[in-house]
Every structure is written in C-alpha cells, then in structure tokens.
C-alpha cells in the first residue's frame, strides 16, 4: 500500500512538487552558470537557495499533513491504513519528490563539470544523506507533531526563537566554549554528533507518532532532542580532540615537535602600531597577548596548526584560573614568508581576567592541541587560462581577475578539499616567486559532510601580482604572467597531538604588544 | 459487538465522561442519545481509537479499542459530520483510493450506493455541500459491508430530501450489521434503533432495548372529579407532572397496564378516567432531558 498512498499524495500536491523541482533546477543552473563565469555572475543564487529551502519545507509539511496525526477529525484514522505503510509512504515521497530532484541536480552538475560518474554519485549521495538528515527528516518529524500548516509555522518560529535564544544565552554566558568548537577544524565531530542525535531523535519521534499516535509525548521528545542539540553544540574540547587524535594518520611523525617559551624574542610589535583588542558583538572583550613560543622538531615540508591553545594561571597560593585561549594559528616549516619572523602565539585574554592578573607574577600553563600537516602533493597551473584536474582540489582553472591585479584560481571539487593549501605565483623559467597565498580553512572531516549550497566544494583564491594600492612591487608582475604558473602545495593532516608548556614566572603586563 | 466499561475522559478539568459503561449487542441498532455536550461524540471517538480514554476500557469487535488493527478497522464503517477527507480528490478518486484497503469491498454495492446517493463522481470533495459530504461519507462506509457501522450525528444539518436519501442508503444494509448511532434527530432514530442509551453529562442514565423503553413509557392523563392539583408526594417514576383543569398529566416511566389503576389510586382520589398513550423516542428523550435539567437546577 506504500505506493498506493504515495500516488494519492502525489495527486494532491503535484503542483507543489513541480514548483519545488523547478526552483531547485533554477538554483542549480544559476550555480552552474556562476561557477563558469567570472565576469557575469547571476546575483540571485542566495535568494534561490532560501526559496528552495522554504519551498521544500512547505512541501514536506503539506505531504505529512495530508494524513495529519494530531487531531480528531482525520478520515484516515478510521481507515484500515497500516501505520508503517503510511510512514514509509511519506518517507518515500520526501526521498523521491524532494530529495530526489536535489540529488539528480547534484549528479548532473558534477557530471557536467567532468567528474567521473562514481565520484559524482558518491558525493551527491553523501550530500543528500546530510541534507535529508539535517533538514528534511527533522522537518518531516516536526510536521508529524503539528496538526495544520499554520500550527507548524507557529511552532517552527517559536522553536527556532527558543533554540537560538538558548544558544545565544549560553554563548554570552560561556563565550569561549562556543567560539572554540564553533570555529575550529574539528567541528565536524560536533556535526557528526548532531547528525546522530537528529537521526535517532527523528526516528524516535516518528515511531511514537506513527505507531502510537501520542502527540504530547512526541512533542516533549522533540523539545528534549532540541535541548540535546543545544548541549551538543557546546561539547567540551578534550573529548572532541581525543576523537580527532585517534584518527591521526601517522602519530609518530610529530614525536620530535617541541614547544618552548622564548622570552629572548621580546615583546610583540603590532604592525599597525596600536594595541590589539578582540571584539564580539561590537564590544571590546579583552586583549590579545602574543607569547613568544619557539617551535622545534618540525619535519621538512610541514605545517603545524594550533587547533586550540588554552592558558591557565596559578597564583602563589596554589589557586588556578582560566586565562584565555587561542586558535587557528599555523606555522610553516619551510617558508618564513608565511610563518613571519617570529612564531608568536596570540592569546585572547578577557578584560576581567586581564584586569585581575595584569601585574601579578604567576605560573602560566599553556596546553596546545596541535595538528601536523605534511606536504602531500605539489601541482601547478598556468597563470593565464590554465585548466587542470587535481585529485585533491578537483577541476581548477585560472584567469586574471576583473581588476587586473591577481590571478584568480577557481577549483571545483566533488568531495573533500585539503585543509591547508598554499598558492604561489612563480616564473617558470627563472624561478622567481611572489609570497604565497595561504588557504587554511577546511575541516579535518574524514568524509564529505557538506549540506549547502550543493555537492561541490569551491576553492577560490586570488594570487596577487600587483598591489591594488600600488604600495609595493611584486617580483612576478603582470608582464610575466604568460611565462608564469601558480604552484599549489597541498598539505594533508598526519598527526593530531597535544603539548604542554609551563612558564613558572609570568606577568601579563610584561608581554603587552608594543 | 461493543463493550464499554467504566470509561472516563477528562478534558483539562472537565469530565466529559464519568464512568460510562454500556453494551451494544451484535445485530442491534444502538442509539446513543443525549443533549449537546452529553459526551456522545467523545464516547464514539474513544471507541474508534481516535482519542484515548483517561480511564476504563472499551472493546470493539472483541478487541481492546486501543489495539484495533487494520483487520478490525476493515470491518468498521464510520460516518461523522466532522470527517476531514482529502479535499483535493474527486469523489471517484477518493473511492478508488479507499478500495484497496478493504478486502471485502464490493464494487457492485459501491456503484449501487453511489447511484442511489447521487454523488457526482468528478466533483472534488472540497466542492461538495454539507449534505453531499455526509452522503460521500456514507458511500465510503457501506461498500465493504461493515460488521459495525458507527454514525456520529449523521443527520445534522441535512435537508429532508438528503436525509431521505441518506436513510434509504443506510436502511438497505442496516439489517446486515450492528449500528451505533448518535443523533439529535430522534424521529429518524425511532425507525432504526433497537436499543437506546441515554447519556447525560458523561453518565449513562439507562440503556435498554427500544421495545422495553417504549413499553415502560406512557403519557398518562388522569381525569378527576374535581379540579386537580399535583399530589404532595409524586412517585419518582412519574415525570413531567402538570395540571390542566381537572386533568392531571404525567409521564409514567414504569408503566404496567395491569398495575396502573392501583398505582394511581394510591396517590389520587376521585379518579374518573385514565387515558394512556404510547410515546415516541423524541417525547421520551425530551421528558428525560427536562427531568434531568430540573433535577440539576433543584
């Protein structure tokens, strides 16, 4: 009877199915167009994405409420309709009529972009699983606990307000927890937890609703799951990084890496000449201290990335307190142009902590969670009109940007991209090089977890050959582009590990930037 | 066929049902009567497992109503004025949709019922009038020859012509099944019901066969030799006692022909004549409803 119910639903909402599919394809065509043009992108992509999400929501809610579960007037309640068949028919509908066109569009675009069929199918399938679990399945479950479309809209708005309000409240109360996990390369662990909670929660709500029709219980379950999702977003760092550590490809490669406090380097000089404050919500929240820490034992062609640094102070009385944190700092072993002239560790210290400890001599404990990335591959693409397929970055092309100041490298990948890559403009004949451009923004996620905008990852980098402000001259300039190429160095995470630095006598005021 | 045992239903602080128990015998046509808000629809929705009872149990087709499976539902026809059917489907499409769910669906009976009820096959459900919807609901409940037909206020808002068509459609099959019907339209029930249950504020005041009920209720007019006045001690089973000149009228709820004279003689003096008249269900209902209301007021 699953197919029979499916056909009835389709007959009732075919016009909505058509509209959602059309919007989806329009969005896909817009994205495809924008991926293949530098000069004339269509501006409506974001709007279409929002419209597609809203239209999909509307369709899912409508199809579930054709046989609404709450309420006492629904005709189907007194018909011999198997609840399991009804649930499966709704799932089938969402998969075929909502997720199906999205999957088909993803596959079509990946194939049109020249990716092999297997890769196109796998990436589109993974994105579809993510999209379904993160968005469509929860929408389906939510629609099953509401009796009408108006009720759903009111409930969605109220729940979203409560959810984000709670997130914001916790964020304000414990600002640094959110910042650490929310902006870090290991956030995929949190995403995976959220995914698991959502999958289990949705299954539980649907079971309770479709097999027992206990709306009040299902609503309480939904509220509890939402609360659990909030909590999951504030997972403590240690267990998250411990999971990442277990996934190290080659833990031994980092055994020689040492971190050591190096006071001889002196105080940090701000390039702007002014002291750095860090801000949140437009408010100054504290100060950025730069602690000179020497790093030794890095293997050649490697990058050391600080995923998180936490600092703790201990007073003469033995009492300890959190001082602050730092993250997303990378040190290159092979290129001082990237690493800078001194390996500083920016440490964000809250105003209250700074005021309290500013002039005290304390013991400082710095715990660093680190990732060592090693050069995995080096590839090059012509600076002008280059086209190259690179396994890790996908299909890349290069062109001069509209303002004539940089080579624009665009890569489209059906799958994951390396977390760190450098792009260097290099004269092919004489070896002259401009300073590299660093792109370190990927997650360490072991598999493709993207939901939006589609199943493709995009790497867009501007490799400058001319300073737009004309302040300085670069070795490889616009006149040499025809003989030049962009060298791409791709780094792969090999080891995730921790190091502990102890500074027995440390006074914050001594290390304020100049 | 149906056994309700000590059913309670609370909506917030309000008790919609208070320990309701009754039995619908197989092959009977059981009329559940009562004033608005008496709990008739709530009772039916509990029996159909649309809502859960706060306390108590109900068995329908020998199965706990909370555990009714598709097998039981395939043997139950349900018609209610408050049914939400798929508005976007046509009459034809909806019947086509329902057909495969019922193993016993009889196409010929369906065609006959549709023809008799004169349902427009291509019209969408959302475009049907109230009367048409009720007929549609009946047309969806009869073709599978249900063992139990549940009708919740089926005549509400129907014009006489539609009511007749509805009744014709219903009566054609009524002899083959057990019927549970709740209605205010007592004159219509009068012709169908074999048993009756009177519900008041969530309590069943009585349940009995229609013949027993009509046998024991009589409108009695006692003509006295002089001007009548109501006796100081009115027997409990005399309801709606009133005086008109030298005539004392009341409704006897325990009527027995052979004992009537003796019972009247023990209460009234100077009886010249006694006239009795059988009562229709409507009259019985209004008498009981009035008595219950008066008792509540006093």
């Amino acid at each position: 009877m699953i197919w029979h119910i499916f056909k009835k639903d389709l007959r009732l909402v075919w016009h909505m199915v058509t509209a959602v599919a059309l919007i989806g394809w329009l969005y896909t065509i817009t994205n495809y167009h924008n991926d293949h043009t530098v000069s004339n992108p269509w501006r409506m992509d974001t709007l279409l994405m929002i419209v597609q999400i809203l239209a999909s929501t509307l369709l899912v809610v409508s199809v579930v409420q054709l046989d609404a579960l709450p309420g006492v007037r629904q005709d189907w309640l007194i018909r011999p309709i198997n609840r399991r068949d009804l649930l499966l028919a709704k799932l089938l509908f969402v998969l075929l009529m909502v997720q199906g066109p999205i999957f088909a569009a993803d596959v079509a675009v990946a194939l049109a972009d020249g990716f092999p069929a297997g890769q196109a199918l796998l990436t589109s399938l993974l994105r579809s699983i993510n999209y379904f679990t993160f968005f469509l399945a929860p929408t389906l479950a939510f629609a099953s606990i509401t009796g009408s479309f108006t009720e759903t809209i009111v409930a969605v708005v109220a729940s979203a307000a409560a959810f984000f309000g709670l997130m914001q409240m916790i964020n304000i109360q414990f600002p640094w927890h959110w910042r650490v996990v929310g902006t870090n390369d290991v956030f995929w662990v949190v995403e995976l937890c959220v995914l698991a909670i959502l999958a289990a929660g949705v299954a539980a709500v649907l079971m309770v609703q479709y097999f027992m029709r206990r709306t009040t219980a299902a609503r309480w379950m939904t509220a509890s799951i939402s609360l659990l999702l909030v909590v999951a977003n504030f997972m403590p760092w240690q267990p998250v990084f411990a999971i990442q550590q277990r996934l190290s490809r080659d833990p031994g490669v980092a055994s020689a890496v040492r971190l050591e406090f190096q006071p001889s380097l002196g105080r940090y000089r701000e390039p702007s000449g002014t002291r750095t404050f860090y801000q949140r919500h437009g408010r100054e929240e504290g100060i950025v201290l730069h602690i000179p820490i020497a790093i030794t034992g890095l293997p050649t062609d490697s990058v050391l990335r600080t995923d998180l640094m936490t600092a703790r102070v201990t007073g003469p009385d033995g009492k300890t307190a959190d001082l602050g944190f730092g993250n997303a700092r990378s040190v290159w072993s092979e290129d001082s142009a990237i690493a800078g002239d001194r390996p500083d560790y920016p440490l964000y210290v809250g105003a209250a902590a700074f005021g309290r400890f500013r002039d005290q001599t304390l013991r400082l404990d710095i715990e660093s969670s680190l990732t060592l990335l090693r050069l995995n591959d080096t590839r090059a693409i012509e600076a002008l009109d280059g086209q190259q397929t690179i396994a890790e970055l996908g299909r890349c092309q290069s062109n001069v940007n509209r303002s004539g100041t940089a080579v624009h490298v665009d890569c489209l990948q059906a799958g994951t991209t390396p977390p760190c890559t450098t792009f260097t403009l290099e004269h092919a004949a004489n070896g002259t090089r401009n300073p590299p451009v660093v792109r370190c923004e990927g997650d360490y996620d072991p598999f493709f977890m993207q939901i939006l905008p589609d199943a493709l990852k995009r790497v867009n980098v501007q490799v400058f050959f001319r300073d737009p402000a004309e302040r300085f001259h670069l070795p490889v300039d616009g006149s040499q582009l025809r003989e030049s190429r962009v060298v791409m160095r791709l780094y792969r995470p090999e080891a995730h590990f921790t190091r502990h630095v102890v500074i027995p006598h440390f006074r914050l005021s001594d290390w304020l930037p100049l | 066929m149906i056994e309700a045992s000590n059913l309670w239903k609370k909506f917030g602080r309000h008790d919609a049902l208070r320990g309701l128990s009754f039995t619908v015998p197989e092959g009977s046509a059981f009329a559940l009567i009562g004033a608005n808000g008496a709990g008739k629809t709530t009772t039916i929705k509990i029996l159909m497992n649309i809502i859960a009872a706060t306390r108590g149990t109900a068995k329908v087709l020998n199965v706990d109503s909370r555990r009714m499976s598709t097998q039981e539902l395939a043997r139950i026809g349900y018609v209610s004025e408050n049914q939400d059917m798929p508005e976007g489907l046509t009459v034809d499409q909806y019947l086509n949709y329902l057909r495969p769910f019922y193993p016993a669906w009889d196409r010929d009976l369906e065609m006959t019922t549709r023809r008799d009820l004169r349902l427009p096959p291509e019209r969408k459900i959302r475009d049907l009038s109230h009367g048409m919807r009720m007929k549609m609901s009946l047309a969806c409940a009869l073709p599978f020859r249900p063992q139990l037909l549940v009708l919740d206020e089926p005549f509400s808002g129907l014009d006489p012509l539609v009511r007749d068509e509805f009744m014709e459609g219903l009566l054609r099959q009524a002899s083959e099944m057990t019927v549970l019907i709740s209605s205010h339209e007592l004159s219509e029930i009068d012709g169908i019901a074999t048993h009756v249950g009177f519900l008041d504020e969530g309590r069943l005041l009585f349940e009995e066969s229609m013949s027993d009920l009509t046998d024991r209720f009589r409108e009695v007019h006692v003509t006295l030799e002089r001007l009548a006045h109501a006796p100081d001690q009115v027997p409990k089973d005399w309801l709606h006692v009133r005086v008109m000149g030298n005539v004392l009228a009341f409704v006897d709820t325990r009527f027995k022909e052979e004992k009537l004279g003796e019972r009247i003689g023990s209460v009234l003096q100077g009886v010249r004549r006694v006239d009795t008249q059988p009562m229709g269900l409507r009259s019985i209902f209004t008498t009981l409803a009035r008595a219950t209301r008066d008792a509540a007021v006093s």
Side-chain angles (χ1 to χ4, degrees), chain A residues 277-322:
Chain A
F277 291 91
Y278 78 92
Q279 296 192 335
R280 219 161 57 95
H281 311 306
R283 257 183 336 142
E284 280 176 8
E285 287 217 335
I287 194 160
V288 184
L289 288 182
H290 290 259
I291 302 170
I293 289 179
I295 297 164
T296 55
L298 279 183
T300 52
D301 286 334
S302 64
V303 181
L304 184 67
R305 196 163 164 74
T306 310
D307 298 307
L308 177 70
M309 175 182 75
T310 56
R312 224 173 147 66
V313 287
T314 309
D317 53 358
K319 284 185 180 167
T320 61
D322 284 329

Side-chain angles (χ1 to χ4, degrees), chain B residues 124-197:
Chain B
K124 287 197 169 167
I125 292 173
R126 78 162 70 93
D127 298 328
L128 295 177
S129 64
H130 176 68
M132 283 283 195
R133 275 169 183 260
M134 290 306 294
K135 290 199 287 181
M136 171 74 191
S137 185
L138 188 67
C140 295
L142 294 180
F144 52 94
R145 300 183 187 281
Q147 279 176 262
L148 173 64
L149 181 66
V150 179
L151 305 159
D152 186 12
E153 301 283 1
F155 309 111
S156 171
L158 299 189
D159 65 49
L161 185 64
V162 176
R163 198 178 301 179
D164 283 353
E165 287 172 345
F166 188 95
M167 286 300 288
E168 279 167 28
L170 178 61
L171 289 172
R172 191 175 301 106
Q173 269 184 268
S175 58
E176 299 171 22
M177 55 201 176
T178 306
V179 179
L180 173 64
I181 185 166
S182 81
S183 178
H184 287 112
E185 305 300 323
L186 300 169
S187 52
E188 305 291 355
I189 289 175
D190 223 349
I192 311 170
T194 59
H195 290 70
V196 68

Side-chain angles (χ1 to χ4, degrees), chain B residues 81-127:
Chain B
E81 63 165 337
N82 294 319
Q83 252 164 300
D84 280 347
M85 288 182 273
E87 302 280 306
L89 293 184
T90 63
V91 169
D92 230 7
Q93 286 168 344
Y94 192 46
L95 284 161
N96 289 342
Y97 172 64
L98 291 181
R99 207 174 293 128
F101 292 110
Y102 294 92
W105 192 282
D106 182 338
R107 283 297 293 265
D108 293 336
L109 181 58
E110 176 200 328
M111 297 318 293
T112 311
T113 310
R114 286 172 66 171
R115 196 176 51 242
D116 291 352
L117 293 173
R118 292 189 288 152
L119 287 168
E122 299 304 325
R123 195 176 298 176
K124 287 197 169 167
I125 292 173
R126 78 162 70 93
D127 298 328

Side-chain angles (χ1 to χ4, degrees), chain A residues 97-208:
Chain A
M97 297 293 124
V98 188
Q99 189 65 69
I102 294 171
F103 173 73
D106 284 346
V107 174
V109 167
L111 290 174
D113 278 321
F115 292 101
Q119 191 181 354
L121 282 169
L122 180 67
T123 311
S124 304
L125 184 67
L126 286 172
R127 192 245 171 166
S128 283
I129 291 170
N130 288 333
Y131 193 86
F132 181 80
T133 317
F134 269 110
F135 173 58
L136 293 180
T139 306
L140 195 149
F142 207 84
S144 77
I145 58 167
T146 48
S148 67
F149 194 76
T150 316
E151 207 179 292
T152 310
I153 298 294
V154 171
V156 164
V157 172
S159 307
F163 182 83
F164 290 111
L166 193 59
M167 292 281 275
Q168 189 64 13
M169 228 169 67
I170 299 175
N171 196 11
I172 290 166
Q173 203 65 31
F174 309 100
W176 78 300
H177 285 88
W178 170 240
R179 196 180 301 222
V180 167
V181 181
T183 58
N184 209 279
D185 297 339
V186 294
F187 192 62
W188 69 270
V189 178
V190 175
E191 284 179 312
L192 202 63
C193 281
V194 168
L195 194 84
I197 293 167
L198 273 177
V202 163
V205 169
L206 289 176
M207 293 289 172
V208 167

Side-chain angles (χ1 to χ4, degrees), chain A residues 1 4-5 8 11-12 67 71-83 212-214, chain B residues 45 49-51 70 73-74 78 82-85 88-89 93-94 96-98 100-102 140:
Chain A
M1 289 297 165
H4 186 63
I5 300 168
K8 182 265 293 178
R11 195 188 290 276
L12 285 166
D67 300 285
V72 292
R73 293 163 60 120
Q74 287 74 22
D75 184 67
W76 76 269
L77 292 172
I78 46 84
R79 303 286 170 199
I81 296 172
N82 188 301
R83 301 282 176 91
M212 296 180 227
R213 220 174 129 256
R214 295 182 66 175
Chain B
K45 288 196 186 301
N49 193 22
I50 295 172
I51 57 175
T70 53
L73 287 171
Y78 174 80
N82 294 319
Q83 252 164 300
D84 280 347
M85 288 182 273
L89 293 184
Q93 286 168 344
Y94 192 46
N96 289 342
Y97 172 64
L98 291 181
F101 292 110
Y102 294 92
C140 295

